[in-house]
Amino acid sequence: MAHLEPETQEEEPLDPVMEAVRRKMVRLQVVSGGIMFISLMAVLLAVVYKVRNAPQPAPTSLATGAGFAVPADQPLAVTARLPTGFEIRSVSQSGSQILFYGVLAGVQKVMIFDLSVGRIVADVTVADR
């Protein structure tokens, strides 16, 4: 077999049927490439849209709860001033209120401290019937 150089080799013209098939294939390739390009642009636009319209994170300065605000970066610092001599027997908490059950001078008492106002809001004496 003889090796012919590419520049000296001439292409023979295709017959009309093969030329029609070649044209259809080129047209199909151009249409497919266009569809792929449009699809890629749609995906990129969707990503850009999502990034630009992402919800902003909530400010971390305050965390709101049951009617009072607690700083998110540090604990709430409050002092519950109970009467002198009050002997605590049990403690309970609900929402922003803390209940202290105890005895003061031989009398059973309940003190309710509210964190939202920072003071004792109720002083209840528990008596027998």
Side-chain angles (χ1 to χ4, degrees):
M1 277 210 221
H3 288 99
L4 299 175
E5 295 297 321
E7 56 264 1
T8 60
Q9 186 179 14
E10 295 181 23
E11 291 187 20
E12 299 176 12
L14 296 175
D15 61 344
V17 175
M18 288 304 290
E19 183 65 25
V21 170
R22 188 189 68 79
R23 285 185 184 172
K24 283 184 181 180
M25 294 299 286
V26 168
R27 189 178 326 129
L28 178 64
Q29 186 176 12
V30 168
V31 169
S32 297
I35 290 173
M36 291 292 284
F37 179 75
I38 291 171
S39 300
L40 179 65
M41 289 297 114
V43 168
L44 289 176
L45 284 174
V47 168
V48 168
Y49 175 79
K50 286 286 190 177
V51 168
R52 293 189 79 204
N53 294 331
Q56 299 298 326
T60 59
S61 62
L62 290 179
T64 58
F68 69 103
V70 177
D73 58 345
Q74 61 187 359
L76 182 65
V78 179
T79 303
R81 301 199 189 283
L82 299 173
T84 304
F86 184 76
E87 184 183 326
I88 298 173
R89 299 282 169 93
S90 69
V91 178
S92 179
Q93 189 257 338
S94 174
S96 67
Q97 295 183 338
I98 302 173
L99 179 136
F100 296 97
Y101 177 76
V103 176
L104 178 63
V107 178
Q108 294 182 2
K109 289 196 153 284
V110 174
M111 302 278 183
I112 300 174
F113 181 80
D114 195 337
L115 292 170
S116 62
V117 294
R119 64 181 177 84
I120 301 288
V121 294
D123 181 353
V124 180
T125 300
V126 180
D128 292 333
R129 287 189 182 225

